[in-house]
Amino acid sequence: MARQAKFDEIEYYDHKALSAVDFRPPETGWMDTPVDMRPGTFIYPAKPRHLEYLGFPNPREWNPQDDDWKLPENWKEIIFKGMRERLDEYRSFRVFMDICVRCGACADKCHFFIGSGDPKNMPVLRAELIRSVYRNDFTTAGKILGKLAGAREVTIDVIKEWFYYFYQCTECRRCSVFCPYGIDTAEITMMARELLNLLGLNVNWIIEPVANCFRTGNHLGIQPHGLKDTLEFFADDIEEATGIKVDIPLNKKGAEILFVTPSGDFLADPGTFTCMGYMMLFHELGLDYTWSTYASEGGNFGLFTSHETIKRLNAKIYAEAKRLGVKWILGGECGHMWRVVNQYMDTVNGPADFLEVPRSPITGTVFENARSTKMVHITEFTADLIKHGKLKLDKSQNDHIRVTFHDSCNPARAMGILEEPRYILKHVCNHFYEMPENTIREQTFCCGGGAGLGTDENMEMRLRGGLPRGNAVQHVHERFGVNHLVAMCAIDRATLSTVCEYWAPEVRVAGIHELLANAMVMRGQKKRTLNLRLEPINGEEGDGDE
């Protein structure tokens, strides 16, 4: 029913209309063009109870389409003070405000600009929305020359622009790859959202998961018994497919490894099948690991809120590692989880001197790249297992699959994990095809729903933002018969399912460890006739019995 409802929602949008993008700029200048706050292009505001729980400012009911956003009386003072504090604290913010020469190298690199044609979705112009206020209040040229220097005073209309366009940025950083000065536009978006947060201008799709995570340890508000029940349900499906009852270690003190994965893997198809793949892999290895019902979330929506929220939410992982007495941490397939781990975790929550440098108990490989954070990416761990011949794989069990790979923005651009997922896929599938070069690896296109934008009320912008990726998927579908798009990110798996339904409807979405598990030959298994979705493998019929 839920899947049909979402399909009905995306069918509401006309293909011809969304794909016929008008790149002609508006007749008015960018400073004089008001925001068109129409349904389908913005996200509902945060509910007051979540802001109150988190201690965030100005909780109240408001509507982005209303004239009055119920800002504090001294809202200008709050913005000025907040910007001053961040310019002093984050040297990168001041540098990024000063060094842009508006060359336009980033202009056509954003998926939202490609899909909408809106000039303010060009990264250079989106950054100007806040840079113009910086010039007005914090530079001599702006104070003297005003608009001639690209400066403007912060007004209610400017704040409305910030809310609209900085929540049409997925912080994917594709534009930064092409910037000759190395400006990280995602950091500018993060600063803008922090300033908006000071006024109570948040979106619920982000703040509710943040509040849930702070309260229960995961974005979905799953209680410990709920996680236990979910994993036991997965174990039942695994037993039906393989004949093997897998172990589910929970809160096991003294385990060697703490495993943390995004909560999207527990409840959101097709991530659930990836989660089942983890369980099968760890059981087959006899891995001494544990789940935690308290650190049951690897994702961190603080990345889309503020640096302080990143710290608050990420703290639970190290706290649980210490409480359970593990040696190191293994993390599942997630996108923004790994940007937080790779770029922020050691600084905001570390150093984790109570943990050891990760060493695979199966191959003996020491993961030197994780010496600082003590946390290893699951694709690194699994690729190492395959390299050392520790898994028995039958690629023919995935012969009905013709697969392409979506480089998830944060693991690809923020971590450089490019080869490991491809290495795994080529060892579990006989038919692997790359999308065009300028759409993969460091230049990968975003799913269009990252950074907390993957909700249904802004479906038009999600579909527009997903257009570049959808086109690339449709290309390999038409040329090579690709029928599966694999992604190593929970948000990608959820949002790309919608993107593919609309732009490449004959392509399904899956995770790496789902396909790995389908190809794995486990000790003591019965004849495999069903995959993890309990569908016949390669068209074989039967109930799976010998």
Side-chain angles (χ1 to χ4, degrees), residues 91-103:
R91 183 171 55 183
S92 60
F93 183 35
R94 184 179 292 274
V95 170
F96 295 157
M97 290 292 97
D98 284 333
I99 66 173
C100 177
V101 296
R102 291 180 276 190
C103 68

Side-chain angles (χ1 to χ4, degrees), residues 356-399:
E356 299 178 7
V357 178
R359 179 189 186 95
S360 172
I362 311 301
T363 67
T365 297
V366 177
F367 296 97
E368 290 288 348
N369 59 305
R371 176 173 290 277
S372 178
T373 63
K374 313 299 193 296
M375 193 163 177
V376 173
H377 195 288
I378 186 72
T379 61
E380 300 173 291
F381 179 75
T382 301
D384 178 65
L385 293 172
I386 294 173
K387 180 180 178 181
H388 287 87
K390 299 300 182 180
L391 298 177
K392 186 176 181 182
L393 301 170
D394 179 4
K395 292 199 289 185
S396 69
Q397 295 194 141
N398 283 321
D399 270 354

Side-chain angles (χ1 to χ4, degrees), residues 184-199:
D184 189 341
T185 307
E187 293 284 347
I188 297 174
T189 292
M190 291 170 69
M191 290 296 113
R193 290 189 182 185
E194 286 201 21
L195 295 173
L196 290 169
N197 179 58
L198 298 177
L199 301 180

Side-chain angles (χ1 to χ4, degrees), residues 249-263:
L250 287 165
N251 303 324
K252 176 184 172 184
K253 288 196 172 184
E256 182 171 357
I257 298 166
L258 170 63
F259 180 66
V260 181
T261 198
S263 55

Side-chain angles (χ1 to χ4, degrees), residues 522-536:
M522 301 178 72
R523 291 185 293 272
Q525 73 174 27
K526 65 183 181 181
K527 181 183 178 183
R528 293 284 299 275
T529 60
L530 299 175
N531 61 24
L532 289 187
R533 303 189 187 206
L534 302 183
E535 301 167 337

Side-chain angles (χ1 to χ4, degrees), residues 206 209-210 212-214 217-220 259-266 294-304 309-317 330-341 345 375 410 489-491 493:
I206 292 175
V210 168
N212 285 341
C213 196
F214 196 59
N218 60 74
H219 293 158
L220 301 173
F259 180 66
V260 181
T261 198
S263 55
D265 285 350
F266 304 141
Y294 303 101
S296 53
E297 177 68 71
N300 190 322
F301 272 35
L303 186 65
F304 317 140
T309 312
I310 291 174
K311 181 177 181 177
R312 289 170 69 181
L313 299 187
N314 197 66
K316 66 184 180 300
I317 298 178
L330 181 64
E333 294 182 29
C334 183
H336 64 283
M337 163 183 174
W338 284 103
R339 186 172 177 203
V340 170
V341 169
M345 187 171 187
M375 193 163 177
N410 286 309
C489 168
I491 288 179
R493 287 190 291 272

